[in-house]
Amino acid sequence: YQRRVHGKLVDTDISSGAGFAPHYAEIQRLAASFSSPSLPSKESYCTAEGPSQMRCYLEGLRGSSRLAGFANLDFDRSQRTGVPEVVFAEGKTSEQVCSIAAQFLGRQPSVLVTRCSPACIESLEDAFPTQQRQVMGRTVLIGVPEPVADVTPVPILTGGTSDLPVAEEALATLQYLGQPAFLVPDVGVAGLYRLLARLDDLQTANVVVCIAGMEGALPAAVGGLIKAVVIAVPTSIGYGANFQGLAPLLGMLTSCSPGCVCVNIDNGFGAAVAAAKINRLATC
């Protein structure tokens, strides 16, 4: 098999049982990255059956992420990045989504599916008994995520009620990542007193997700009032010159409030992942 030495892949001979022993720790690490419960003991590698057992085991790990030619799953992502892979359902059949979700649930306690159609949500409900769905946000959270200890809740603000689908996607994502979060809906700049009335809820946050369509002014207003990092999310809500979210995107990118950063149009998921990473680091 191949292992990495000083950044280069090097062929390693495991044709004899004794060849396993020096690399057992590395093989353990590889197995752990796939959450494999079936790694045999070190002593069993040095038997006559050791080489064939080892080859079968490594081949099983190599192939375990592939699904019938339509997916190559990244079970190792959580260990590399701190964020497990999420299933993006748009463009996939319901059968493909259910098959992918089942593979993840064999290795971790929960999985999040985003951009679900009504038919996909129905299929996931039939296939998995323990799930939470957000119909407006088009997400399904299957299983029970492991909570992150001692982190500050993340506020998710929206300019209007029409922005709630994006906010619900962000909320489900933070729940999947084990972080507490809460919605502060409909506090746009057309009635700024609504935002000012909720300032006490925002002052203790490390990071705030701020979602707005139309001209996208809300994140700049929030960024001028609190110490937290503001992650701005433009939405495609608005009339013609909103250009399906391009107008608020440009407004947020050119905000005069320092400390505001911006993700793509309608990308509640991306905003939530960034917020979770910032929140975790701020708590360390």
Side-chain angles (χ1 to χ4, degrees):
Y1 79 106
Q2 288 186 317
R3 60 194 184 99
R4 192 170 294 276
V5 178
H6 300 303
K8 296 182 180 180
L9 287 176
V10 177
D11 289 328
T12 301
D13 181 16
I14 56 170
S15 58
S16 67
F20 298 145
H23 310 296
Y24 184 75
E26 186 170 356
I27 294 164
Q28 275 187 313
R29 181 198 58 76
L30 175 66
S33 72
F34 287 90
S35 302
S36 172
S38 56
L39 181 65
S41 68
K42 182 176 180 179
E43 289 73 20
S44 69
Y45 290 153
C46 297
T47 64
E49 294 79 19
S52 60
Q53 289 178 355
M54 185 60 186
R55 275 190 289 272
C56 289
Y57 187 79
L58 290 176
E59 285 298 326
L61 288 182
R62 183 188 302 169
S64 63
S65 64
R66 297 190 179 95
L67 282 177
F70 65 82
N72 191 9
L73 308 183
D74 189 0
F75 300 128
D76 194 29
R77 186 175 302 179
S78 181
Q79 290 196 359
R80 293 194 323 271
T81 69
V83 178
E85 188 171 6
V86 170
V87 184
F88 184 82
E90 195 170 302
K92 298 180 177 70
T93 66
S94 296
E95 291 76 13
Q96 288 173 336
V97 172
C98 288
S99 181
I100 292 169
Q103 287 293 312
F104 279 115
L105 289 170
R107 293 165 173 81
Q108 58 194 49
S110 61
V111 65
L112 177 65
V113 186
T114 65
R115 296 300 175 99
C116 297
S117 66
C120 182
I121 292 176
E122 185 176 345
S123 295
L124 289 168
E125 289 178 333
D126 291 340
F128 304 102
T130 306
Q131 41 76 27
Q132 303 174 48
R133 62 174 182 167
Q134 297 279 5
V135 176
M136 280 201 301
R138 295 188 291 165
T139 64
V140 177
L141 176 57
I142 307 167
V144 181
E146 296 178 356
V148 178
D150 301 324
V151 291
T152 304
V154 178
I156 303 172
L157 282 65
T158 73
T161 304
S162 298
D163 301 314
L164 276 175
V166 179
E168 286 196 352
E169 182 182 75
L171 181 64
T173 303
L174 283 161
Q175 290 172 339
Y176 176 51
L177 298 178
Q179 300 216 14
F182 60 94
L183 291 175
V184 183
D186 199 21
V187 289
V189 297
L192 198 57
Y193 65 92
R194 300 174 298 182
L195 173 63
L196 298 177
R198 299 298 302 270
L199 276 184
D200 288 345
D201 296 330
L202 311 182
Q203 297 289 4
T204 57
N206 297 315
V207 58
V208 171
V209 176
C210 196
I211 302 166
M214 301 295 184
E215 81 289 5
L218 180 61
V222 173
L225 293 170
I226 63 174
K227 296 178 181 178
V229 176
V230 175
I231 300 178
V233 188
T235 73
S236 50
I237 298 300
Y239 295 104
N242 170 273
F243 295 113
Q244 292 78 52
L246 182 59
L249 171 65
L250 295 176
M252 293 172 185
L253 287 173
T254 55
S255 169
C256 65
S257 289
C260 289
V261 295
C262 185
V263 298
N264 206 351
I265 299 166
D266 293 334
N267 190 8
F269 165 74
V273 170
K277 288 191 170 188
I278 292 169
N279 204 32
R280 190 186 306 139
L281 290 172
T283 309
C284 292

